[in-house]
Amino acid sequence: IGRIKAPLDDPAMAGFVAWLEIVNAIADSSPGFVWRLQTAEGDATSLRPFEDDRMLVNMSVWASLEELDSFVYNGLHRQVLQQRRQWFERFEGFYSALWWVPSGHIPSVEEAKERLECVEAHGPSPHAFTFKEHFPAPAGEISLRDA
């Protein structure tokens, strides 16, 4: 999750909006990519599952933690991520959670919110964890990132 500094149609958010489609297309074609949350517009920016209207949610499923890590922290995504303070407020607490999901399962936003709340309340565990502290996958399952 992330709290945007201004509405998406504000000129201050133009850089983020300009990169969104490009970064999503790279994710979609990256090794290990399985699924990402999106509406008919091709992204999830219109979804507002939190009371705070400036909170955006992003979710994706990947075949492995290594492939997710490679996408997030390398290449163009890393370059865009390094600019996030231009568009997103500094966030207190946890802003992402990862967990293992059964093959073929598409997680819901409510499920993601519960996992994020779990990390916030109890710290990383096999139920929900972070990039910094993660747990091995149960046999036959894949990973999910909620950011």
Side-chain angles (χ1 to χ4, degrees):
I1 58 174
R3 183 179 291 116
I4 52 178
K5 289 185 172 183
L8 290 173
D9 59 358
D10 187 292
M13 297 300 294
F16 171 74
V17 172
W19 283 116
L20 194 58
E21 187 175 335
I22 296 164
V23 171
N24 283 339
I26 292 170
D28 292 352
S29 64
S30 291
F33 174 82
V34 176
W35 169 89
R36 70 180 164 85
L37 179 66
Q38 60 183 305
T39 63
E41 292 79 25
D43 61 50
T45 58
S46 64
L47 300 176
R48 294 295 189 278
F50 295 90
E51 288 184 25
D52 184 342
D53 196 42
R54 292 187 302 141
M55 293 293 288
L56 297 185
V57 62
N58 182 37
M59 294 172 53
S60 57
V61 175
W62 294 77
S64 74
L65 186 57
E66 293 77 20
E67 289 165 315
L68 170 61
D69 186 86
S70 179
F71 168 73
V72 171
Y73 295 115
N74 294 297
L76 182 63
H77 186 271
R78 179 182 180 173
Q79 294 172 22
V80 175
L81 190 61
Q82 290 172 331
Q83 300 174 54
R84 69 185 176 275
R85 296 288 172 248
Q86 293 177 35
W87 312 302
F88 291 86
E89 292 181 1
R90 181 171 284 293
F91 199 78
E92 297 298 322
F94 290 93
Y95 53 86
S96 69
L98 293 85
W99 68 96
W100 300 105
V101 298
S103 294
H105 174 70
I106 299 299
S108 69
V109 173
E110 288 305 314
E111 183 179 349
K113 288 173 67 175
E114 184 274 326
R115 301 290 178 138
L116 189 59
E117 289 168 3
C118 183
V119 171
E120 185 71 42
H122 308 290
S125 72
H127 182 70
F129 48 92
T130 66
F131 275 109
K132 290 183 182 179
E133 188 175 348
H134 49 86
F135 294 81
E141 299 197 0
I142 54 178
S143 69
L144 167 79
R145 173 176 182 254
D146 168 41

